[in-house]
Amino acid sequence: MSIQDKQQELLDELNLFQDWTERYEYVIGLGKKLPAMPAEMKTDDKLIKGCQSQVWLDATAEGETIRYHADSDSLITKGMIALFVRVLDGEKADDILTADMSFIEQTGLKEHLAPTRANALNLMATQMKKHALELSSK
């Protein structure tokens, strides 16, 4: 399944919910399903700077694909990073780097989050692409 297909699948799932509260609960649920990052991996160099909550992101190369591990101290923020992990985890670095991340605008999340949390969505996407670039150049 391509990144674009995963994005569309996620948008279709979110569109099943009629109001923002249900979507919010769905995103929190995605965060709860995200495996916890071991405490020893939650280091300052893995923090995404500029997020209101603490968000840790790590990436490793497995062959041609990038694997992401993420966690947060906030349920909604963990759900937000889980959206990106779901879409980008296991993909090739080149595909991640060229992925159009504007799908996040279509989720409606930004309109219902505090400005600092909405900005965190851009920071998360940028950091994930940065990791892909760094790992692809090794």
Side-chain angles (χ1 to χ4, degrees):
M1 184 180 290
S2 72
I3 290 175
Q4 189 174 12
D5 290 339
K6 290 181 192 178
Q7 291 172 342
Q8 189 57 55
E9 181 181 73
L10 192 55
L11 290 171
D12 290 345
E13 289 171 13
L14 285 168
N15 285 332
L16 293 173
F17 303 106
Q18 299 302 313
D19 66 27
W20 169 244
T21 306
E22 292 173 337
R23 286 183 180 196
Y24 192 79
E25 290 298 323
Y26 180 76
V27 171
I28 289 172
L30 290 176
K32 287 179 179 177
K33 291 178 187 173
L34 193 66
M37 185 181 269
E40 63 271 9
M41 289 180 67
K42 293 181 181 179
T43 55
D44 286 346
D45 62 318
K46 291 181 177 64
L47 279 172
I48 298 178
K49 308 291 187 249
C51 290
Q52 181 177 1
S53 302
Q54 290 187 309
V55 183
W56 296 271
L57 177 67
D58 187 41
T60 55
E62 287 185 8
E64 293 185 7
T65 63
I66 307 297
R67 302 306 311 235
Y68 291 99
H69 307 281
D71 208 341
S72 177
D73 62 353
S74 159
L75 284 177
I76 188 61
T77 306
K78 188 170 181 175
M80 290 163 40
I81 193 74
L83 294 171
F84 290 113
V85 169
R86 180 170 162 186
V87 169
L88 299 178
D89 185 54
E91 297 293 336
K92 292 181 180 180
D94 288 345
D95 294 335
I96 293 168
L97 293 171
T98 59
D100 179 2
M101 300 306 286
S102 64
F103 85 98
I104 205 68
E105 305 291 336
Q106 297 171 43
T107 65
L109 284 171
K110 285 190 172 186
E111 293 83 42
H112 295 89
L113 295 170
T116 52
R117 283 233 160 90
N119 184 51
L121 290 166
N122 294 331
L123 295 170
M124 291 173 189
T126 300
Q127 193 65 28
M128 292 181 92
K129 286 190 173 212
K130 181 180 173 192
H131 279 302
L133 179 62
E134 290 169 356
L135 290 168
S136 70
S137 63
K138 289 184 177 180

